[in-house]
Amino acid sequence: MLDLSIIVVGYNNSGYLEACFNSLFGQDHKALFEVIYVDNNSSDNSVELVRARFPKVRIIENRCNRGFSAANNQGLKIYRGRFAVLLNTDTIVKPGALALLLSFMNSHPKAGACGPLLQNRDGSPQHQGGLLANKFWLSKIPIKVDYVIGACLMVRREVIDIVGGLDENLFFSNDDLDWCRSIRKAGWNIYFVPQAEVTHFGGFTIKKFNRRLFVEGFRGGLYFCRKHYGILAYLIYRLLLVLCMPLAILLFIGNRQKAAAFWQIFWISLLGRIYPEKQPAKNILLVSNGHAEDLAAAA
């Protein structure tokens, strides 16, 4: 069995893919690994770039944008490693980082998942939590934490067999927090391992305003609140959004895209439409030798 299966989900990220994959294949370690790239119907040259430059990568090419959770789950249905690694396209894995994470997991059998130190472009530690979060990312030693960010997240196969994949009701955002909750609920520990370092360019996919991702982030927040904090907290959150969205619309009245997004969030909150619209699941698996086969089993 392979040691690692690295799953990378992309959507119009060709500007970052080459550096990301070069960092993976340039790792100096003895671990056996595979890379699975799941493309969410990119309109740039992402798939062509991966196929031409990295022929060892297994490619799943979706005919629609299925979202982050569903796309990662496609990879999780065909991965062959003892550990799965979810990795964002806008990352560079520093030398030895994967070996350090793998060694940590091998020596800590109760560790269900772990994550590295995410760094900004200048090498400073990247913020990995909310306003009131414990600043675990400043620790100099491995520590047990409640969650690690999905920009780089290593999970044990036995854990995935028990808790399953990511919740596909979370199209984008909150998926890593939700998965980590499920892992801890199943009795496993989660660790932050700062000796392993990964540069994360800070959410390339959300630097440019994307109405769908913006709206789905709020929808996912409502769903996450309902799932984990109960009906009262969920209703209060919905009410706050219903009250705040008209003000947001007025503030961004000159920006049609953002105003339309806030209007959509208003109606989602008012009507309680917390589940994303399901997309048709038609996919193709393109393996390194160029042959293609139907991937209905991984849809």
Side-chain angles (χ1 to χ4, degrees):
M1 180 180 289
L2 297 174
D3 295 303
L4 300 175
S5 293
I6 304 163
I7 302 170
V8 181
V9 172
Y11 177 68
N12 292 334
N13 301 141
S14 61
Y16 283 78
L17 276 174
E18 188 167 4
C20 177
F21 284 156
N22 279 334
S23 74
L24 290 177
F25 288 105
Q27 293 287 308
D28 183 18
H29 57 69
K30 297 180 180 180
L32 299 175
F33 71 96
E34 66 175 349
V35 179
I36 301 170
Y37 174 64
V38 187
D39 187 84
N40 266 331
N41 196 33
S42 294
S43 58
D44 63 7
N45 66 331
S46 293
V47 173
E48 291 77 10
L49 184 151
V50 175
R51 188 186 295 123
R53 293 295 311 276
F54 305 98
K56 293 182 179 180
V57 173
R58 306 170 72 190
I59 303 175
I60 300 174
E61 186 175 1
N62 286 325
R63 295 178 182 172
C64 63
N65 187 346
R66 299 197 62 204
F68 185 80
S69 295
N72 271 298
N73 284 347
Q74 288 176 270
L76 290 173
K77 288 178 180 177
I78 64 169
Y79 83 110
R80 298 175 294 180
R82 295 189 298 116
F83 299 92
V85 180
L86 306 190
L87 185 69
N88 279 13
T89 52
D90 61 341
T91 58
I92 293 178
V93 180
K94 292 193 174 182
L98 294 178
L100 284 166
L101 294 177
L102 179 61
S103 175
F104 183 88
M105 295 294 280
N106 284 333
S107 61
H108 293 77
K110 285 300 294 178
C114 71
L117 172 66
L118 298 178
Q119 296 177 323
N120 297 308
R121 293 173 185 264
D122 61 2
S124 60
Q126 196 164 92
H127 192 287
Q128 295 189 45
L131 294 175
L132 301 178
N134 176 25
K135 296 182 180 180
F136 65 83
W137 55 89
L138 299 179
S139 176
K140 302 299 183 183
I141 60 173
I143 57 170
K144 190 187 301 184
V145 295
D146 289 339
Y147 65 90
V148 287
I149 299 300
C152 183
L153 172 59
M154 182 179 290
V155 186
R156 192 180 299 273
R157 174 175 283 273
E158 294 93 320
V159 172
I160 298 172
D161 289 342
I162 293 171
V163 305
L166 284 74
D167 189 335
E168 296 186 13
N169 287 315
L170 295 163
F171 180 88
F172 178 81
S173 187
N174 296 301
D175 42 84
D176 42 10
L177 303 183
D178 179 79
W179 210 25
C180 286
R181 275 179 170 264
S182 297
I183 292 170
R184 289 190 291 108
K185 188 175 180 180
W188 297 84
N189 297 322
I190 298 172
Y191 287 89
F192 169 67
V193 185
Q195 288 73 26
E197 299 177 347
V198 173
T199 299
H200 181 218
F201 293 108
F204 164 74
T205 54
I206 58 175
K207 282 183 179 178
K208 295 180 180 179
F209 182 77
N210 182 304
R211 177 177 167 181
R212 185 177 186 189
L213 295 185
F214 187 75
V215 170
E216 292 299 340
F218 276 90
R219 192 200 305 269
L222 283 166
Y223 173 82
F224 185 88
C225 183
R226 177 67 181 89
K227 180 177 179 179
H228 294 292
Y229 296 108
I231 187 65
L232 181 59
Y234 163 67
L235 291 175
I236 292 173
Y237 186 24
R238 275 180 61 187
L239 177 61
L240 288 173
L241 289 179
V242 168
L243 294 175
C244 291
M245 287 305 104
L247 177 60
I249 293 169
L250 290 174
L251 289 174
F252 288 91
I253 196 67
N255 187 321
R256 295 181 62 184
Q257 280 290 313
K258 287 190 176 181
F262 287 125
W263 178 248
Q264 192 174 349
I265 294 164
F266 170 81
W267 282 105
I268 288 171
S269 305
L270 184 66
L271 301 176
R273 294 176 176 169
I274 60 175
Y275 298 98
E277 295 180 7
K278 298 299 181 182
Q279 298 288 332
K282 296 180 179 179
N283 317 290
I284 296 175
L285 173 63
L286 304 173
V287 293
S288 57
N289 60 12
H291 295 296
E293 60 184 277
D294 182 43
L295 192 63

